[in-house]
């Protein structure tokens, strides 16, 4: 006689209960659960905000890199034309002899780097260099002088104002970096036609004293305040690879994001080690850290120009394009970048042509009206990074 069904089945199986068959969770819903709240809010934003908490910036920075760069690309396309890249040329109008002790700088008089100090370049020589830059496609001309501040430099300021006026007369944007300036000097530069003033914060407030002791963090912020109050665009970013931690890169972006208004330009520099300086033996920052910083800056500073600055020459073409796809939309191009080598105009034009980029026009800013509705922001898709894979440098 056959056994009954109840006796033939294992007891554990008989105790199980079964419900209706349900579809598995969608890839989009699974991915959405992994997106930090701060990133979800940032990718839906239609305007910049200046009340970021450090924890929110950290959430974004620590997002898995493939998801982070994808989100940055989405934000970039909402606020900018993703094919437009600003071409800038930087000229050293006064080399070396600086009294500051910036640990990374070849121009400090405190270090033996083999750099010869010079007097300020003549006005006509600077304007000639600006014309060459313009003829080669640069639309922004930047001038840097190696000194601590502008105190007692009336003749130098007069000459710089002539340079500024002359460059503006060519139809170019013009930026200067002259160390600390006061409110009156900022107003004079504004009246001369200055477009932007560069004064980098370099790193976080906490790590800053490890790099510089001759100028405080608050003094740097004060200069930015003078520039902003004069109606000049603020250009302020940092240097990566100084020995800082992720928390310091987060701190830098947090500080800049909570200024009264976001800087018009945020330069991201990768340290170029200079022999003779205290940081002369450091290796370049790993590429993933550079890319993560650029993507975070793009998301937190959505309308700002994110400038791929010093150290770009050490990146492969594919790494540079990864940075552009993650939100960088400006470069320095030309013969030199202060005291270090720079990617050349011809090289950049060829790269742009290969990848479908084009030079931004003067005063264009590369901005556009939000092109992606907040509800349709593609951050919740489980996809690979918008940037191509690139090996660490």
């Amino acid at each position: 006689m056959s056994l009954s069904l109840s006796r033939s089945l294992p007891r554990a199986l008989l105790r199980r209960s079964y419900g209706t068959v349900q579809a598995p969770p969608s890839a989009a819903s699974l991915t959405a659960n992994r997106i930090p709240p701060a990133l979800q809010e940032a990718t839906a934003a239609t305007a910049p905000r200046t009340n970021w908490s450090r924890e929110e910036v950290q959430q974004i920075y620590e997002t898995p890199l493939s998801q982070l760069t994808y989100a940055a690309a989405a934000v970039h396309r909402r606020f900018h034309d993703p094919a437009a890249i600003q071409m800038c040329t930087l000229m050293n109008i006064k080399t070396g002899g600086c009294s500051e002790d910036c640990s990374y700088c070849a121009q400090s008089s405190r270090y033996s780097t083999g750099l010869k100090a010079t007097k300020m370049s003549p006005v006509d020589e600077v304007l000639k260099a600006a014309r060459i830059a313009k003829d080669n496609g640069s639309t922004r001309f930047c001038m840097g002088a190696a000194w601590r501040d502008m105190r007692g430099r009336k003749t130098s300021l007069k000459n710089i104002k002539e340079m500024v006026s002359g460059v503006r007369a060519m139809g170019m944007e013009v930026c200067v970096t002259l160390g600390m300036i006061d409110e009156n000097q900022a107003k004079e530069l504004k009246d001369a036609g200055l477009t932007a003033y560069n004064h980098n914060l370099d790193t976080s407030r906490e790590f800053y004293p490890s790099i510089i002791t001759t100028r405080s963090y608050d003094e740097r912020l004060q200069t930015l305040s003078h520039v902003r109050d004069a109606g000049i665009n603020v250009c302020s970013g940092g240097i990566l690879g100084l020995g800082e931690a992720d928390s310091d890169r987060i701190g830098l972006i947090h500080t800049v994001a909570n200024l009264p208004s976001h800087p018009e330009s945020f330069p991201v520099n990768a340290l170029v080690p200079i022999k003779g300086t205290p940081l002369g033996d450091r290796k370049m920052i790993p590429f993933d850290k550079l890319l993560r910083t650029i993507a975070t800056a793009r998301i937190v500073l959505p309308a700002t120009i994110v400038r791929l600055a010093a150290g770009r020459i050490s990146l492969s073409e594919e790494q540079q394009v990864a940075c552009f796809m993650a939100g960088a939309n400006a470069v320095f191009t030309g013969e030199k970048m202060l005291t270090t080598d720079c990617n050349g105009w011809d090289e950049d034009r060829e790269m742009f042509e290969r990848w479908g980029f084009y030079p931004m026009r003067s005063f264009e800013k590369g901005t556009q009206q939000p092109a992606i509705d907040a509800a349709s922001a593609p951050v919740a898709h489980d996809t690979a990074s918008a940037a191509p894979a690139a090996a660490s440098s």
Side-chain angles (χ1 to χ4, degrees):
M1 185 173 66
S2 62
L3 296 174
S4 67
L5 182 62
S6 62
R7 292 178 61 189
S8 64
L9 293 176
R11 292 182 179 180
L13 188 58
L14 291 173
R15 288 198 298 268
R16 292 178 186 170
S17 61
Y18 297 89
T20 57
V21 177
Q22 296 180 348
S26 68
S29 65
L30 287 173
T31 304
N33 291 334
R34 296 198 299 266
I35 300 173
L39 183 58
Q40 294 187 48
E41 181 179 342
T43 52
T46 56
R49 47 176 282 215
T50 57
N51 61 342
W52 290 89
S53 71
R54 191 160 182 149
E55 291 71 24
E56 287 175 315
V57 178
Q58 181 177 348
Q59 280 185 24
I60 293 172
Y61 183 91
E62 293 178 348
T63 300
L65 189 56
S66 63
Q67 191 66 42
L68 176 63
T69 53
Y70 185 75
V75 172
H76 189 53
R77 280 155 176 75
R78 178 175 300 146
F79 288 88
H80 303 267
D81 178 347
I85 298 177
Q86 186 185 67
M87 297 180 71
C88 318
T89 295
L90 174 59
M91 180 180 181
N92 210 349
I93 61 173
K94 192 275 174 187
T95 303
C98 181
S99 63
E100 299 273 49
D101 69 351
C102 305
S103 299
Y104 51 79
C105 188
Q107 303 196 76
S108 172
S109 61
R110 298 166 183 253
Y111 313 131
S112 298
T113 61
L115 187 71
K116 183 179 179 181
T118 66
K119 295 182 179 180
M120 179 178 286
S121 301
V123 174
D124 57 350
E125 183 179 308
V126 173
L127 296 182
K128 179 181 178 181
R131 290 188 194 96
I132 292 172
K134 181 182 179 181
D135 291 343
N136 279 283
S138 292
T139 56
R140 183 164 173 146
F141 191 72
C142 307
M143 298 172 284
W147 53 50
R148 172 181 165 79
D149 54 42
M150 289 294 295
R151 286 183 298 179
R153 302 185 188 276
K154 291 184 178 180
T155 301
S156 295
L157 182 58
K158 175 178 177 295
N159 291 339
I160 291 169
K161 289 192 295 183
E162 287 186 37
M163 296 172 191
V164 169
S165 299
V167 174
R168 280 298 299 270
M170 299 178 199
M172 300 179 76
E173 297 180 35
V174 56
C175 178
V176 296
T177 178
L178 309 171
M180 293 184 289
I181 58 173
D182 61 30
E183 47 201 19
N184 292 327
Q185 292 159 347
K187 185 178 184 305
E188 287 190 59
L189 290 167
K190 170 66 174 178
D191 292 342
L194 187 66
T195 305
Y197 194 94
N198 168 257
H199 200 63
N200 291 331
L201 293 177
D202 287 349
T203 187
S204 69
R205 179 184 286 276
E206 295 80 7
F207 189 66
Y208 181 87
S210 301
I211 303 302
I212 303 161
T213 66
T214 52
R215 187 190 326 180
S216 72
Y217 209 72
D218 286 326
E219 284 178 311
R220 287 187 180 256
L221 290 170
Q222 186 64 58
T223 290
L224 296 185
S225 178
H226 293 323
V227 170
R228 187 172 52 248
D229 291 347
I232 301 169
N233 287 333
V234 169
C235 173
S236 187
I239 305 173
L240 310 185
L242 302 172
E244 78 282 357
D246 286 334
S247 60
D248 297 305
R249 292 183 279 275
I250 292 166
L252 168 66
I253 295 173
H254 173 249
T255 297
V256 171
N258 285 278
L259 293 173
S261 59
H262 289 174
E264 173 259 355
S265 173
F266 181 80
V268 179
N269 299 275
L271 175 69
V272 178
I274 305 295
K275 292 295 182 183
T277 66
L279 299 179
D281 294 326
R282 294 204 65 84
K283 294 181 179 179
M284 186 173 177
I285 188 170
F287 178 69
D288 65 299
K289 301 292 188 182
L290 175 68
L291 185 62
R292 185 177 292 279
T293 302
I294 287 172
T296 303
R298 167 50 63 223
I299 292 168
V300 175
L301 310 169
T304 294
I305 296 287
V306 176
R307 193 176 312 282
L308 190 55
R312 180 168 72 100
I313 197 168
S314 298
L315 302 180
S316 69
E317 182 172 304
E318 291 77 13
Q319 287 175 327
Q320 294 177 62
V321 172
C323 292
F324 299 147
M325 290 183 171
N329 57 344
V331 294
F332 282 109
T333 183
E335 297 172 353
K336 276 279 188 182
M337 187 178 169
L338 293 181
T339 64
T340 61
D341 292 333
C342 187
N343 304 64
W345 290 292
D346 291 341
E347 177 186 349
D348 282 339
R349 278 195 295 265
E350 291 170 3
M351 176 175 63
F352 287 5
E353 185 176 347
R354 272 191 293 272
W355 293 88
F357 300 112
Y358 70 88
M360 201 181 291
R361 295 187 297 270
S362 292
F363 305 100
E364 181 182 8
K365 304 304 178 198
T367 55
Q368 57 186 20
Q369 293 298 317
I372 305 173
D373 186 74
S376 63
V379 67
H381 294 295
D382 191 10
T383 185
S385 167
S392 295
S393 59

